Amino acid sequence: MSPAESIRIKEAADLIRQGKLVAFPTETVYGLGANALDPLAVAKIFELKERPTFDPLIVHVADIGDIERLTTCRDDRAYRLFEAFWPGPLTVVLPKSELIGDIVTSGLDTVGIRMPANEIALALIREAGTPIAAPSANKFGRISPTSAHHVRKNLPGVDYILDGGSTSIGIESTIVTLSDAGFRIVRNGFITREDLEAVLPFDPSPEARSLVAPGMLKSHYSPRKPFYITGDPASKGVDKARSGFISFSGTLESGYAKVIRASERADLKEYAVSLFSAMHEMDESGVDSIVAEAVPETGIGIAIMDRLKKAAYASQKPEA
Ligand code: TXA
Ligand code: MG
């Protein structure tokens, strides 16, 4: 890390300690961070994002030792997940301790925790000396940011942005809970069910607790423009000459006003890295609507299709 970068991280950490909001890079998407132990600071996240308070936040840590004070979890299986996937794009939902306020968890008795695999994020958390609550740094329901530019454009009110370039994974963390039988998936993400099954058995039964979380809403991650997925009947009426196309296979691009090759060779990871950025770019461009190429629903393709379907949901309804 350069001396200039260390200075910026110190400045940002000071702001976190003062209860301010700092956007920072993680390996998945940019987060909008506040001191997780300061309810007033956390409240500002909901205000700036225009996020409903029923949507709980993920708490980011830099040290596994923090699990003991932030949660009441003494389950070995959680530690096996940390060992296998942290730092990295896995959020584990655990019973919370009293240190975590209700505003962070939307009143749930559990908290989602993850240790991000990004040097700037980890340095910020260490320097601030406190865990950092952070949702993706976008307005509620909109596309997650994968660059500092996306944050600047969509959340101009943020107190500070740590610029760490483009994020390396581009799609949000996988979120799991633990049940007696094994792990349940709350939100699909970069870490796949198969990856997790190498460590714990998969429990296919749905989450028992009632949980209203936007990861689970039908509409989310939406561009401002009408958005369609190939293969979807709604995509048929699109005027190609006025539309943008986000390409996966390189075979369906002809006739569109603008094409972004999010993957050159039908590579799911490559597509995940560039997808949100392509959606942002199309939204900012002159096209009237956006079509994104569907991908096979295997491995990380499950998380990609989840995001695409939620982004397209509003455009499928007559007056949504
Ligand atoms: O990759 C990521 O996870 C990014 C980066 C910044 O870490 N964060 C992110 O946060 O995507 P956000 O706020 O956009 O999504 C958080 C989701 C909630 O919508 C909810 O689905 C789930 O995490 N969540 C958080 N706490 C939970 C809890 N106690 N129980 C169940 N789900 C929870
Ligand atoms: Mg989000």
Side-chain angles (χ1 to χ4, degrees), residues 4-52:
E5 201 153 61
S6 301
I7 290 170
R8 284 196 288 272
I9 288 168
K10 281 204 166 68
E11 282 172 4
D14 279 343
L15 291 172
I16 291 281
R17 278 193 301 269
Q18 292 162 28
K20 300 273 179 27
L21 301 183
V22 172
F24 63 97
T26 79
E27 77 280 34
T28 58
V29 301
Y30 275 69
L32 178 64
N35 179 353
L37 307 183
D38 176 349
L40 286 178
V42 172
K44 292 180 190 163
I45 293 179
F46 287 89
E47 204 175 9
L48 185 63
K49 264 192 75 115
E50 297 166 23
R51 177 173 173 119

Short mmCIF file of all heavy atoms in Angstrom, two decimals, residues 4-52:
data_model
loop_
_atom_site.label_atom_id
_atom_site.label_comp_id
_atom_site.label_asym_id
_atom_site.label_seq_id
_atom_site.Cartn_x
_atom_site.Cartn_y
_atom_site.Cartn_z
N ALA A 4 0.47 7.41 0.29
CA ALA A 4 -0.71 8.26 0.04
C ALA A 4 -1.99 7.49 0.37
O ALA A 4 -2.93 8.02 0.96
CB ALA A 4 -0.74 8.72 -1.42
N GLU A 5 -2.00 6.21 0.01
CA GLU A 5 -3.17 5.39 0.28
C GLU A 5 -3.35 5.20 1.80
O GLU A 5 -4.47 5.26 2.31
CB GLU A 5 -3.01 4.03 -0.39
CG GLU A 5 -4.32 3.32 -0.60
CD GLU A 5 -4.25 2.37 -1.79
OE1 GLU A 5 -3.43 1.44 -1.78
OE2 GLU A 5 -5.01 2.60 -2.74
N SER A 6 -2.24 5.00 2.50
CA SER A 6 -2.33 4.85 3.96
C SER A 6 -2.92 6.10 4.60
O SER A 6 -3.70 6.02 5.54
CB SER A 6 -0.94 4.60 4.57
OG SER A 6 -0.41 3.44 4.02
N ILE A 7 -2.54 7.26 4.08
CA ILE A 7 -3.06 8.52 4.63
C ILE A 7 -4.57 8.62 4.38
O ILE A 7 -5.34 8.97 5.27
CB ILE A 7 -2.33 9.73 4.00
CG1 ILE A 7 -0.89 9.77 4.53
CG2 ILE A 7 -3.05 11.05 4.33
CD1 ILE A 7 0.01 10.76 3.81
N ARG A 8 -4.98 8.24 3.17
CA ARG A 8 -6.43 8.29 2.86
C ARG A 8 -7.21 7.34 3.77
O ARG A 8 -8.30 7.66 4.24
CB ARG A 8 -6.67 7.93 1.39
CG ARG A 8 -6.31 9.07 0.43
CD ARG A 8 -6.89 8.84 -0.95
NE ARG A 8 -6.20 7.78 -1.66
CZ ARG A 8 -5.12 7.96 -2.41
NH1 ARG A 8 -4.59 9.17 -2.54
NH2 ARG A 8 -4.55 6.95 -3.03
N ILE A 9 -6.62 6.16 4.02
CA ILE A 9 -7.31 5.20 4.88
C ILE A 9 -7.43 5.75 6.31
O ILE A 9 -8.46 5.62 6.96
CB ILE A 9 -6.61 3.83 4.84
CG1 ILE A 9 -6.88 3.19 3.47
CG2 ILE A 9 -7.08 2.92 5.97
CD1 ILE A 9 -6.04 1.99 3.16
N LYS A 10 -6.36 6.43 6.77
CA LYS A 10 -6.41 7.03 8.11
C LYS A 10 -7.51 8.10 8.19
O LYS A 10 -8.26 8.16 9.16
CB LYS A 10 -5.06 7.67 8.46
CG LYS A 10 -4.02 6.66 8.91
CD LYS A 10 -2.95 7.33 9.78
CE LYS A 10 -2.11 6.31 10.52
NZ LYS A 10 -1.27 5.50 9.60
N GLU A 11 -7.59 8.93 7.15
CA GLU A 11 -8.64 9.97 7.12
C GLU A 11 -10.02 9.33 7.17
O GLU A 11 -10.90 9.75 7.92
CB GLU A 11 -8.55 10.78 5.82
CG GLU A 11 -7.45 11.82 5.81
CD GLU A 11 -7.28 12.48 4.42
OE1 GLU A 11 -8.07 12.18 3.50
OE2 GLU A 11 -6.36 13.29 4.28
N ALA A 12 -10.19 8.29 6.35
CA ALA A 12 -11.49 7.62 6.29
C ALA A 12 -11.82 6.96 7.63
O ALA A 12 -12.96 7.03 8.09
CB ALA A 12 -11.48 6.58 5.17
N ALA A 13 -10.82 6.36 8.25
CA ALA A 13 -11.04 5.70 9.55
C ALA A 13 -11.43 6.72 10.61
O ALA A 13 -12.30 6.45 11.46
CB ALA A 13 -9.78 4.93 9.96
N ASP A 14 -10.81 7.90 10.57
CA ASP A 14 -11.19 8.97 11.51
C ASP A 14 -12.66 9.32 11.34
O ASP A 14 -13.39 9.49 12.33
CB ASP A 14 -10.38 10.25 11.24
CG ASP A 14 -8.99 10.18 11.87
OD1 ASP A 14 -8.81 9.31 12.75
OD2 ASP A 14 -8.12 10.95 11.46
N LEU A 15 -13.09 9.42 10.08
CA LEU A 15 -14.50 9.76 9.82
C LEU A 15 -15.42 8.67 10.35
O LEU A 15 -16.47 8.96 10.93
CB LEU A 15 -14.72 9.99 8.32
CG LEU A 15 -14.04 11.25 7.77
CD1 LEU A 15 -14.14 11.31 6.25
CD2 LEU A 15 -14.67 12.51 8.39
N ILE A 16 -15.05 7.40 10.16
CA ILE A 16 -15.87 6.31 10.69
C ILE A 16 -16.00 6.46 12.21
O ILE A 16 -17.11 6.35 12.77
CB ILE A 16 -15.23 4.92 10.36
CG1 ILE A 16 -15.31 4.63 8.86
CG2 ILE A 16 -15.88 3.80 11.19
CD1 ILE A 16 -16.65 4.15 8.34
N ARG A 17 -14.90 6.76 12.88
CA ARG A 17 -14.96 6.92 14.34
C ARG A 17 -15.82 8.10 14.76
O ARG A 17 -16.38 8.12 15.85
CB ARG A 17 -13.55 7.05 14.92
CG ARG A 17 -12.85 5.70 15.12
CD ARG A 17 -11.61 5.86 15.99
NE ARG A 17 -10.69 6.79 15.37
CZ ARG A 17 -9.72 6.43 14.53
NH1 ARG A 17 -9.53 5.16 14.25
NH2 ARG A 17 -8.94 7.34 13.99
N GLN A 18 -15.90 9.11 13.86
CA GLN A 18 -16.73 10.29 14.16
C GLN A 18 -18.20 10.09 13.78
O GLN A 18 -18.99 11.02 13.82
CB GLN A 18 -16.21 11.51 13.41
CG GLN A 18 -14.85 12.02 13.87
CD GLN A 18 -14.21 12.93 12.81
OE1 GLN A 18 -14.92 13.57 12.02
NE2 GLN A 18 -12.89 12.96 12.78
N GLY A 19 -18.53 8.88 13.35
CA GLY A 19 -19.94 8.61 13.03
C GLY A 19 -20.33 8.99 11.62
O GLY A 19 -21.52 9.11 11.31
N LYS A 20 -19.34 9.20 10.75
CA LYS A 20 -19.64 9.58 9.35
C LYS A 20 -19.71 8.33 8.45
O LYS A 20 -19.37 7.22 8.88
CB LYS A 20 -18.54 10.52 8.84
CG LYS A 20 -18.42 11.81 9.63
CD LYS A 20 -19.37 12.83 9.08
CE LYS A 20 -19.43 14.18 9.74
NZ LYS A 20 -18.37 14.78 10.43
N LEU A 21 -20.12 8.57 7.20
CA LEU A 21 -20.26 7.47 6.23
C LEU A 21 -19.08 7.46 5.25
O LEU A 21 -18.75 8.50 4.66
CB LEU A 21 -21.56 7.62 5.44
CG LEU A 21 -22.85 7.61 6.24
CD1 LEU A 21 -24.06 7.69 5.29
CD2 LEU A 21 -22.94 6.37 7.13
N VAL A 22 -18.50 6.29 5.07
CA VAL A 22 -17.37 6.14 4.14
C VAL A 22 -17.69 5.02 3.15
O VAL A 22 -18.00 3.90 3.56
CB VAL A 22 -16.06 5.79 4.90
CG1 VAL A 22 -14.94 5.44 3.92
CG2 VAL A 22 -15.64 6.93 5.82
N ALA A 23 -17.62 5.32 1.86
CA ALA A 23 -17.76 4.25 0.86
C ALA A 23 -16.37 3.66 0.62
O ALA A 23 -15.38 4.38 0.54
CB ALA A 23 -18.32 4.82 -0.44
N PHE A 24 -16.32 2.34 0.55
CA PHE A 24 -15.01 1.67 0.41
C PHE A 24 -15.15 0.45 -0.49
O PHE A 24 -16.22 -0.14 -0.60
CB PHE A 24 -14.48 1.28 1.80
CG PHE A 24 -15.35 0.28 2.54
CD1 PHE A 24 -15.04 -1.09 2.51
CD2 PHE A 24 -16.48 0.69 3.24
CE1 PHE A 24 -15.84 -2.01 3.18
CE2 PHE A 24 -17.28 -0.23 3.89
CZ PHE A 24 -16.97 -1.58 3.87
N PRO A 25 -14.04 0.08 -1.13
CA PRO A 25 -14.10 -1.09 -2.02
C PRO A 25 -14.05 -2.38 -1.23
O PRO A 25 -13.39 -2.46 -0.19
CB PRO A 25 -12.83 -0.94 -2.86
CG PRO A 25 -11.87 -0.22 -1.95
CD PRO A 25 -12.71 0.70 -1.11
N THR A 26 -14.78 -3.39 -1.69
CA THR A 26 -14.53 -4.75 -1.23
C THR A 26 -14.27 -5.55 -2.50
O THR A 26 -14.33 -5.00 -3.60
CB THR A 26 -15.73 -5.37 -0.46
OG1 THR A 26 -16.71 -5.82 -1.40
CG2 THR A 26 -16.35 -4.41 0.54
N GLU A 27 -14.02 -6.83 -2.38
CA GLU A 27 -13.77 -7.62 -3.59
C GLU A 27 -15.06 -7.85 -4.38
O GLU A 27 -15.00 -8.18 -5.56
CB GLU A 27 -13.12 -8.96 -3.21
CG GLU A 27 -14.05 -10.02 -2.64
CD GLU A 27 -14.38 -9.81 -1.16
OE1 GLU A 27 -14.47 -8.65 -0.70
OE2 GLU A 27 -14.56 -10.83 -0.46
N THR A 28 -16.23 -7.66 -3.74
CA THR A 28 -17.50 -7.90 -4.44
C THR A 28 -18.01 -6.62 -5.07
O THR A 28 -17.98 -6.46 -6.30
CB THR A 28 -18.55 -8.46 -3.47
OG1 THR A 28 -18.75 -7.54 -2.40
CG2 THR A 28 -18.14 -9.82 -2.94
N VAL A 29 -18.49 -5.70 -4.24
CA VAL A 29 -18.99 -4.40 -4.69
C VAL A 29 -18.56 -3.37 -3.64
O VAL A 29 -18.07 -3.74 -2.58
CB VAL A 29 -20.54 -4.40 -4.83
CG1 VAL A 29 -20.99 -5.46 -5.83
CG2 VAL A 29 -21.23 -4.62 -3.49
N TYR A 30 -18.72 -2.07 -3.96
CA TYR A 30 -18.40 -1.04 -2.96
C TYR A 30 -19.44 -1.05 -1.84
O TYR A 30 -20.64 -1.23 -2.10
CB TYR A 30 -18.33 0.35 -3.61
CG TYR A 30 -16.98 0.66 -4.21
CD1 TYR A 30 -16.55 -0.02 -5.35
CD2 TYR A 30 -16.13 1.60 -3.63
CE1 TYR A 30 -15.29 0.25 -5.89
CE2 TYR A 30 -14.88 1.88 -4.17
CZ TYR A 30 -14.46 1.20 -5.30
OH TYR A 30 -13.22 1.45 -5.83
N GLY A 31 -18.97 -0.86 -0.61
CA GLY A 31 -19.87 -0.78 0.54
C GLY A 31 -20.02 0.65 1.01
O GLY A 31 -19.14 1.49 0.78
N LEU A 32 -21.15 0.95 1.66
CA LEU A 32 -21.37 2.25 2.29
C LEU A 32 -21.26 2.01 3.79
O LEU A 32 -22.18 1.48 4.41
CB LEU A 32 -22.76 2.79 1.93
CG LEU A 32 -23.15 4.12 2.56
CD1 LEU A 32 -22.23 5.24 2.08
CD2 LEU A 32 -24.61 4.46 2.24
N GLY A 33 -20.11 2.39 4.36
CA GLY A 33 -19.78 1.94 5.71
C GLY A 33 -20.04 2.95 6.81
O GLY A 33 -19.91 4.16 6.61
N ALA A 34 -20.40 2.42 7.98
CA ALA A 34 -20.51 3.23 9.20
C ALA A 34 -20.06 2.34 10.36
O ALA A 34 -20.08 1.11 10.25
CB ALA A 34 -21.95 3.69 9.43
N ASN A 35 -19.69 2.99 11.47
CA ASN A 35 -19.34 2.24 12.68
C ASN A 35 -20.52 1.36 13.09
O ASN A 35 -21.58 1.87 13.45
CB ASN A 35 -19.00 3.25 13.78
CG ASN A 35 -18.63 2.57 15.09
OD1 ASN A 35 -18.76 1.35 15.23
ND2 ASN A 35 -18.18 3.37 16.04
N ALA A 36 -20.34 0.06 13.05
CA ALA A 36 -21.44 -0.87 13.32
C ALA A 36 -21.93 -0.79 14.76
O ALA A 36 -23.03 -1.25 15.08
CB ALA A 36 -21.01 -2.30 13.00
N LEU A 37 -21.11 -0.20 15.65
CA LEU A 37 -21.49 -0.14 17.06
C LEU A 37 -22.09 1.22 17.43
O LEU A 37 -22.32 1.51 18.61
CB LEU A 37 -20.27 -0.45 17.94
CG LEU A 37 -19.54 -1.76 17.58
CD1 LEU A 37 -18.39 -2.03 18.54
CD2 LEU A 37 -20.51 -2.95 17.56
N ASP A 38 -22.32 2.06 16.44
CA ASP A 38 -22.86 3.40 16.66
C ASP A 38 -24.20 3.53 15.93
O ASP A 38 -24.25 3.79 14.73
CB ASP A 38 -21.85 4.43 16.13
CG ASP A 38 -22.35 5.88 16.22
OD1 ASP A 38 -23.55 6.10 16.49
OD2 ASP A 38 -21.52 6.79 16.00
N PRO A 39 -25.32 3.33 16.65
CA PRO A 39 -26.63 3.31 15.99
C PRO A 39 -26.96 4.58 15.21
O PRO A 39 -27.59 4.51 14.15
CB PRO A 39 -27.62 3.14 17.16
CG PRO A 39 -26.81 2.57 18.27
CD PRO A 39 -25.41 3.06 18.09
N LEU A 40 -26.49 5.74 15.69
CA LEU A 40 -26.79 6.98 14.96
C LEU A 40 -26.07 7.00 13.63
O LEU A 40 -26.61 7.46 12.61
CB LEU A 40 -26.40 8.20 15.80
CG LEU A 40 -27.33 8.49 16.97
CD1 LEU A 40 -26.81 9.69 17.78
CD2 LEU A 40 -28.75 8.75 16.48
N ALA A 41 -24.84 6.52 13.62
CA ALA A 41 -24.08 6.45 12.37
C ALA A 41 -24.74 5.47 11.41
O ALA A 41 -24.89 5.75 10.22
CB ALA A 41 -22.63 6.03 12.66
N VAL A 42 -25.18 4.33 11.95
CA VAL A 42 -25.82 3.33 11.10
C VAL A 42 -27.13 3.88 10.50
O VAL A 42 -27.45 3.62 9.34
CB VAL A 42 -26.07 2.02 11.89
CG1 VAL A 42 -26.90 1.04 11.08
CG2 VAL A 42 -24.74 1.39 12.31
N ALA A 43 -27.84 4.68 11.29
CA ALA A 43 -29.10 5.26 10.81
C ALA A 43 -28.86 6.11 9.56
O ALA A 43 -29.71 6.17 8.66
CB ALA A 43 -29.74 6.11 11.90
N LYS A 44 -27.68 6.75 9.50
CA LYS A 44 -27.38 7.60 8.32
C LYS A 44 -27.28 6.77 7.05
O LYS A 44 -27.53 7.27 5.96
CB LYS A 44 -26.06 8.35 8.54
CG LYS A 44 -26.13 9.40 9.63
CD LYS A 44 -24.79 10.09 9.77
CE LYS A 44 -24.77 10.98 11.01
NZ LYS A 44 -23.39 11.34 11.39
N ILE A 45 -26.88 5.52 7.17
CA ILE A 45 -26.81 4.64 5.98
C ILE A 45 -28.20 4.50 5.38
O ILE A 45 -28.39 4.65 4.16
CB ILE A 45 -26.28 3.23 6.36
CG1 ILE A 45 -24.82 3.29 6.81
CG2 ILE A 45 -26.44 2.28 5.18
CD1 ILE A 45 -24.25 1.93 7.22
N PHE A 46 -29.18 4.21 6.24
CA PHE A 46 -30.55 4.00 5.75
C PHE A 46 -31.08 5.27 5.09
O PHE A 46 -31.77 5.22 4.07
CB PHE A 46 -31.47 3.57 6.90
CG PHE A 46 -31.20 2.15 7.35
CD1 PHE A 46 -30.26 1.87 8.33
CD2 PHE A 46 -31.87 1.08 6.77
CE1 PHE A 46 -30.01 0.56 8.72
CE2 PHE A 46 -31.63 -0.23 7.15
CZ PHE A 46 -30.69 -0.49 8.13
N GLU A 47 -30.73 6.42 5.71
CA GLU A 47 -31.20 7.70 5.21
C GLU A 47 -30.60 7.98 3.82
O GLU A 47 -31.32 8.27 2.87
CB GLU A 47 -30.73 8.77 6.19
CG GLU A 47 -31.52 10.02 6.19
CD GLU A 47 -31.01 10.94 7.31
OE1 GLU A 47 -29.97 10.64 7.94
OE2 GLU A 47 -31.65 11.95 7.53
N LEU A 48 -29.29 7.86 3.70
CA LEU A 48 -28.63 8.20 2.43
C LEU A 48 -29.02 7.23 1.31
O LEU A 48 -29.19 7.61 0.16
CB LEU A 48 -27.10 8.21 2.62
CG LEU A 48 -26.30 8.66 1.39
CD1 LEU A 48 -26.61 10.12 1.04
CD2 LEU A 48 -24.80 8.50 1.62
N LYS A 49 -29.16 5.95 1.65
CA LYS A 49 -29.52 4.95 0.64
C LYS A 49 -31.01 4.95 0.31
O LYS A 49 -31.43 4.30 -0.63
CB LYS A 49 -29.17 3.55 1.19
CG LYS A 49 -27.85 3.00 0.76
CD LYS A 49 -27.75 1.51 1.10
CE LYS A 49 -28.54 0.64 0.17
NZ LYS A 49 -27.80 -0.27 -0.66
N GLU A 50 -31.80 5.62 1.17
CA GLU A 50 -33.27 5.53 1.09
C GLU A 50 -33.66 4.05 1.18
O GLU A 50 -34.45 3.54 0.39
CB GLU A 50 -33.80 6.18 -0.19
CG GLU A 50 -33.51 7.66 -0.24
CD GLU A 50 -33.71 8.28 -1.62
OE1 GLU A 50 -34.45 7.71 -2.43
OE2 GLU A 50 -33.12 9.36 -1.87
N ARG A 51 -33.07 3.41 2.18
CA ARG A 51 -33.27 1.98 2.35
C ARG A 51 -34.30 1.74 3.43
O ARG A 51 -34.25 2.36 4.49
CB ARG A 51 -31.93 1.37 2.78
CG ARG A 51 -31.95 -0.13 3.10
CD ARG A 51 -30.51 -0.56 3.32
NE ARG A 51 -30.31 -1.90 3.78
CZ ARG A 51 -29.63 -2.82 3.08
NH1 ARG A 51 -29.15 -2.53 1.89
NH2 ARG A 51 -29.43 -4.01 3.58
N PRO A 52 -35.28 0.85 3.20
CA PRO A 52 -36.26 0.57 4.24
C PRO A 52 -35.58 -0.07 5.45
O PRO A 52 -34.64 -0.87 5.29
CB PRO A 52 -37.23 -0.41 3.58
CG PRO A 52 -36.51 -0.96 2.39
CD PRO A 52 -35.49 0.05 1.99
#
